[in-house]
Amino acid sequence: MSDQPLRPTEEPLNDLAVTYIQAGETLYLAIHDDIAARVRAAHPDAQHLEVSEDADGDLELHGIWSTQAPGLGTCRLLYDAHTTPAQDETLDGPLDLEELVDDLERVLAGPYLYHWGLAEPHPEYQHRDRRWITLPPADRAAHIARIVRRYVPDAISLICLFEANHGRIAVGFEKVIRASGESVTIPCPRCSPETPDSLWPHDVSHQLAGVLGQLYALPHLRSRHLTPCVDVTSEHGDQLWLLTFPYLEPALHTTP
C-alpha cells in the first residue's frame, strides 16, 4: 500500500486556488447584488450606502444616497438613519434594515468588494471613519456599452481577457469592434502604460475592468453576455471573451 497521503481531488492545486477565488467573488458579488435589489425596491434612485463599524465589529447604516454624477456634491439623501422614528417608517418602506446590515457585514468581511471598488473610504474627510458602498449597475453590459461608446460611438462589441492574478480575477483588453467590422486595438493597461493614442484614459480602463470583472465572476451574467473567442494575433495567447453590446438608444451613448 502506498504511504503517499490521499488528496480529496486530483485537480492541480493552482486550478483549485483559481476555483476558490472565483467562488468567493461569485458569492460576495451575488449577495451584494441582492442587497442592491432590495435597497432599490424601497429607494429606486439608490446608488450608495454610508456605513461605519464600531470597535466590536458591528456595522451601522448611516444613510442611503442617490447620485446623478460622480462626487458627493450631487448626491441626494434618500434615507437618514438618524431621523425620527415616524420618518423612518415612511422612508424605510419595505426594506428590512436589520437584515440589510447583517448582509452588509457578511460582504464587507471579505476583500472582494474592495477589489472591485465597490467599497471605499467615505468621500468627505470628516467622515473618513465611515465607508462608502457603491451599488452595482442594474445592467452591467449596458453600463459598459455606454462607457465605451463615449469614445467609440459605433462600437458594437469588446474583446477582453480574464485570468487569476495575485488572489483575484484580473481583466485585460484586446479590441473594440465597430459597426463597420473594423477592429480598434486597445493598449492593455496591464501590459503597457497609457499612451497618447489610447482610446480612453487609464481611469476609464480601471472603471471598465471593475464592471467587467463583476460580470465575469457571476456565472449567470457570464453565460448571458460573454462568448469565448480566439484571436491568433493576440499578444496574450490566452482564452479571450467577446462581449456584444446591447442595443442602446443613440441619446444614451453619446459623449456627455
Side-chain angles (χ1 to χ4, degrees):
M1 180 181 293
S2 173
D3 294 331
Q4 188 173 4
L6 296 176
R7 286 181 52 195
T9 176
E10 291 303 318
E11 188 174 359
L13 291 179
N14 285 344
D15 292 345
L16 283 174
V18 171
T19 300
Y20 175 80
I21 293 166
Q22 292 178 338
E25 291 187 321
T26 298
L27 173 62
Y28 283 81
L29 284 171
I31 296 173
H32 191 54
D33 276 14
D34 185 62
I35 289 170
R38 282 181 277 146
V39 170
R40 286 170 172 155
H43 307 285
D45 295 333
Q47 184 64 26
H48 302 286
L49 306 179
E50 180 184 7
V51 302
S52 67
E53 187 176 7
D54 63 21
D56 296 324
D58 295 325
L59 204 70
E60 179 181 357
L61 176 69
H62 293 277
I64 298 174
W65 293 83
S66 170
T67 185
Q68 289 75 45
L72 188 63
T74 61
C75 291
R76 180 167 54 93
L77 183 62
L78 303 174
Y79 171 82
D80 186 348
H82 305 294
T83 55
T84 64
Q87 289 175 308
D88 282 349
E89 293 176 5
T90 302
L91 290 171
D92 187 11
L95 190 61
D96 185 331
L97 291 179
E98 184 175 347
E99 181 182 52
L100 175 68
V101 169
D102 287 345
D103 285 343
L104 281 169
E105 286 180 344
R106 291 179 66 192
V107 296
L108 291 176
Y112 301 103
L113 296 193
Y114 300 94
H115 284 169
W116 300 125
L118 295 172
E120 299 177 301
H122 197 286
E124 285 197 342
Y125 183 78
Q126 64 267 33
H127 297 309
R128 297 296 278 184
D129 58 329
R130 301 180 183 179
R131 278 174 281 182
W132 195 242
I133 312 301
T134 300
L135 302 182
D139 186 333
R140 289 180 174 88
H143 183 71
I144 293 167
R146 290 188 182 99
I147 295 174
V148 172
R149 285 171 174 164
R150 292 174 189 167
Y151 303 92
V152 187
D154 61 341
I156 60 170
S157 59
L158 174 68
I159 297 177
C160 45
L161 166 74
F162 303 93
E163 62 181 3
N165 184 31
H166 302 300
R168 59 169 293 184
I169 302 302
V171 180
F173 300 105
E174 284 287 329
K175 296 176 180 177
V176 169
I177 310 300
R178 309 178 71 165
S180 63
E182 175 190 3
S183 62
V184 184
T185 301
I186 308 169
C188 179
R190 294 172 49 214
C191 305
S192 56
E194 183 178 340
T195 60
D197 59 346
S198 295
L199 285 179
W200 47 67
H202 184 79
D203 61 332
V204 174
S205 290
H206 181 75
Q207 182 184 6
L208 283 170
V211 185
L212 279 163
Q214 297 166 41
L215 191 148
Y216 177 82
L218 292 165
H220 65 290
L221 296 183
R222 186 194 315 167
S223 62
R224 183 186 311 167
H225 296 294
L226 292 171
T227 303
C229 64
V230 176
D231 183 353
V232 295
T233 66
S234 170
E235 63 183 74
H236 290 121
D238 294 305
Q239 175 68 68
L240 301 175
W241 297 81
L242 174 70
L243 170 62
T244 300
F245 295 154
Y247 173 78
L248 298 177
E249 293 291 342
L252 295 179
H253 58 76
T254 53
T255 305

